[in-house]
Amino acid sequence: MTLGSDHHKAFDFLHQRCITQEPFTLDEFRAATGFSRSSFDTYLSKQFRSLLEPRPGNTFRVILAFRQFTWPKFRDEIATQKRRFRRKYQAICYNHVLLFEFFMPLRNEEWLKSALDSLFFKDAVVPRLKAIGFDKLEAQFPRKDETNDEFLERLCKWISDVFGGYSISHVSGRFKVGNLKSRREIVEAEAVGVNRYLVDETTAVVRFIFPCGSGKDMNEAECRAAQIRWFFEKLFVETILEVVNGEDEIWLLESGMRHQLHIFRAED
């Protein structure tokens, strides 16, 4: 499709009205472009409608998301095809939520991501489930009239619905090494080559969020949360502890339906 100056005029008009946020009528928009009435109605339906928000008095404004467009981007992504640019969203509120956050030194990030990413694949999850054992699995997730393969398939479907992903953020921290000391003790220790007393370290925070229910049925939410906690420990916590085994301590903060700090400390 070859675009003429009329489309460029449409872009210029929308760009300016996006900056000013001034309302306008469709007749004003069409007059600024030079489109014929029939062409304008066609382009409005197929290309421009998703960029406009109705306002009182049969006027419209350009949505702020239009700011991302340059003329080439507008030409390639909007003007050359029917594109549903603006999506409508439905608000869903979950009253019961579990939030898990791991805190560990940044040096473990790449190994950690590799291990966690493997759990997004069925051929990695199924062996982990088999290693847990069917008796333990059935205690948490009662088996129906189904074979072992059918049971594992149902668990994989449940895990797929619950564990969608994780996020990692980086925070800067400063930590004290050893017992509380005076400034003189620190100066004297550093003079003879003893390690630093205060250590700066960047921490990777690995966050998991699990909706447990949107209704008022607390028993149902608690049951779902208990299953999530159990599978989270077996699939994710144990994987993380194996990968970052060289650390002295690993902290796991649980919040949402209950608030707890879990500290995994090396026994030696």
Side-chain angles (χ1 to χ4, degrees), residues 2-15:
T2 302
L3 300 179
S5 61
D6 291 345
H7 269 92
H8 208 309
K9 291 177 181 177
F11 168 78
D12 291 339
F13 178 87
L14 294 173
H15 181 261

Side-chain angles (χ1 to χ4, degrees), residues 224-248:
R224 183 174 177 82
Q227 289 179 324
I228 291 175
R229 288 189 189 98
W230 191 83
F231 275 101
F232 183 75
E233 177 186 352
K234 294 300 181 183
L235 294 180
F236 291 92
V237 175
E238 291 184 2
T239 296
I240 290 174
L241 292 180
E242 290 178 6
V243 172
V244 297
N245 188 257
E247 301 300 330
D248 294 332

Side-chain angles (χ1 to χ4, degrees), residues 58-74:
N58 293 321
T59 61
F60 296 83
R61 77 170 183 90
V62 181
I63 62 174
L64 295 177
F66 187 81
R67 292 179 176 178
Q68 69 179 274
F69 288 103
T70 60
W71 162 243
K73 183 177 176 69
F74 177 84

